[in-house]
Amino acid sequence: MSNTLKRLTVLTLSPLAAALFHSPLHAEQDTADAPPPSPLSANLGLFSSYRFRGLDQTFGKPAVQGGFDYAHASGFYAGNWNSNVSSGAGYPEGSLEMDFYGGYKTTVGDVGLDVGALYYAYPGTHLDNAYAGVNRRHPGSAANGGVDNGEVYLAGSWRFLTLKYAHAVTDYFSMPGTRGTGYLDLSATHDFGNGYVLGAHLGRLLLRDFAYLNADGSTYDGHYTDWRIGLTKAVSGWIVGAAYVGTDAQGRCANGELYCFSSSMRSDGTGNGSRSRDAGRGVAVLSVGRSF
């Protein structure tokens, strides 16, 4: 794996984006006379759908994603990553996700450590007394202003395995009362050679202090498990990939469940689109991208 791509794997915002960029862009080559890698890099990708922690962020439509990274030789890094999103995924009046992150990475033999912070911003979004009563554990709480989310994370890796925990230091994507939500991410990769890399992921969202009332009167704590398995191939400096993503999140629209997303959303947090669908349904995602 090139140094550039190692830097790209510090961010697991889009699980599929992470899978795409886990693959090396270049075949083995003699680097004895090569100059040291630049601390600056960029990445760009096209995805048939954007899934974040298993959930549909673009209402099944394609996503263009890209970002910039700076990695110092000491192990400190910082970067920015961006994607289009659907307002119905929880971003009223918004269509863009911008993420900013920084941290420190180090390795000792086969063991790696990564610690950092990540801020998700959604320019143009507007919440006006949104989600009032959605969280039954905080019935008097509502959200106002722009949608955002702040997290700190800690990851450890050993050879082909990585275990990461992210902890929300704000209300989780502006849902009232959910500060302290956690996300556990276990991922593995296997390089078959000749540019083929297999990636697998298992994640668990632990939505804190939350209770949602379904139409049938049952309650749901918002917790769910998501998974992904995919294969990528390096082709002339590009990475092409295919992956399957699924979750056990409750999203049946007929029962008014939490993870049923509309094609658009009002500023009060209710869907107003002409269509709705289960955001956690299983789906195949195709992708192509590269780093620079």
Side-chain angles (χ1 to χ4, degrees):
M1 181 182 294
S2 67
N3 287 334
T4 298
L5 290 183
K6 286 182 180 178
R7 294 198 293 271
L8 291 176
T9 62
V10 304
L11 184 61
T12 56
L13 306 179
S14 163
L16 297 177
L20 174 66
F21 291 115
H22 266 300
S23 301
L25 294 183
H26 306 288
E28 290 186 13
Q29 53 184 308
D30 183 4
T31 58
D33 298 322
S38 169
L40 295 173
S41 64
N43 60 86
L44 180 66
L46 174 64
F47 294 77
S48 61
S49 178
Y50 172 23
R51 289 298 183 104
F52 172 71
R53 294 175 178 169
L55 299 180
D56 190 350
Q57 302 294 291
T58 52
F59 206 71
K61 296 180 179 180
V64 177
Q65 304 176 344
F68 305 89
D69 294 273
Y70 173 81
H72 192 268
S74 65
F76 288 98
Y77 63 84
N80 159 251
W81 183 89
N82 314 275
S83 177
N84 59 292
V85 294
S86 165
S87 68
Y91 317 115
E93 301 179 26
S95 60
L96 175 65
E97 174 182 334
M98 300 183 69
D99 304 329
F100 303 91
Y101 54 92
Y104 175 77
K105 293 183 72 174
T106 188
T107 58
V108 179
D110 291 331
V111 178
L113 178 68
D114 183 5
V115 59
L118 173 60
Y119 180 70
Y120 303 77
Y122 299 87
T125 55
H126 177 68
L127 298 173
D128 184 10
N129 201 36
Y131 308 127
V134 171
N135 186 354
R136 291 303 177 108
R137 293 192 176 179
H138 296 268
S141 299
N144 291 280
V147 178
D148 65 357
N149 185 54
E151 294 181 347
V152 293
Y153 57 84
L154 175 66
S157 62
W158 177 78
R159 296 187 180 180
F160 61 92
L161 291 173
T162 300
L163 181 64
K164 178 178 179 179
Y165 176 73
H167 185 84
V169 295
T170 63
D171 281 343
Y172 189 67
F173 292 93
S174 301
M175 180 60 69
T178 57
R179 180 176 180 176
T181 289
Y183 183 75
L184 194 61
D185 177 353
L186 176 65
S187 61
T189 60
H190 179 73
D191 190 341
F192 290 105
N194 295 319
Y196 289 98
V197 175
L198 178 69
H201 151 87
L202 184 66
R204 180 69 176 172
L205 180 73
L206 304 170
L207 199 57
R208 184 179 183 273
D209 203 23
F210 184 83
Y212 177 81
L213 184 65
N214 294 320
D216 63 4
S218 62
T219 58
Y220 177 43
D221 60 10
H223 296 197
Y224 69 87
T225 299
D226 71 281
W227 53 86
R228 181 198 72 244
I229 186 166
L231 184 69
T232 59
K233 174 70 168 77
V235 181
S236 300
W238 293 84
I239 300 296
V240 295
Y244 180 81
V245 184
T247 79
D248 65 359
Q250 292 188 14
R252 289 192 301 124
C253 296
N255 194 33
E257 293 179 349
L258 180 64
Y259 297 114
C260 171
F261 288 178
S262 175
S263 56
S264 62
M265 180 179 283
R266 300 184 184 91
S267 61
D268 66 359
T270 60
N272 67 343
S274 59
R275 294 174 296 155
S276 59
R277 60 176 59 179
D278 181 350
R281 69 197 182 283
V283 68
V285 178
L286 306 178
S287 57
V288 59
R290 69 177 301 158
S291 66
F292 306 90

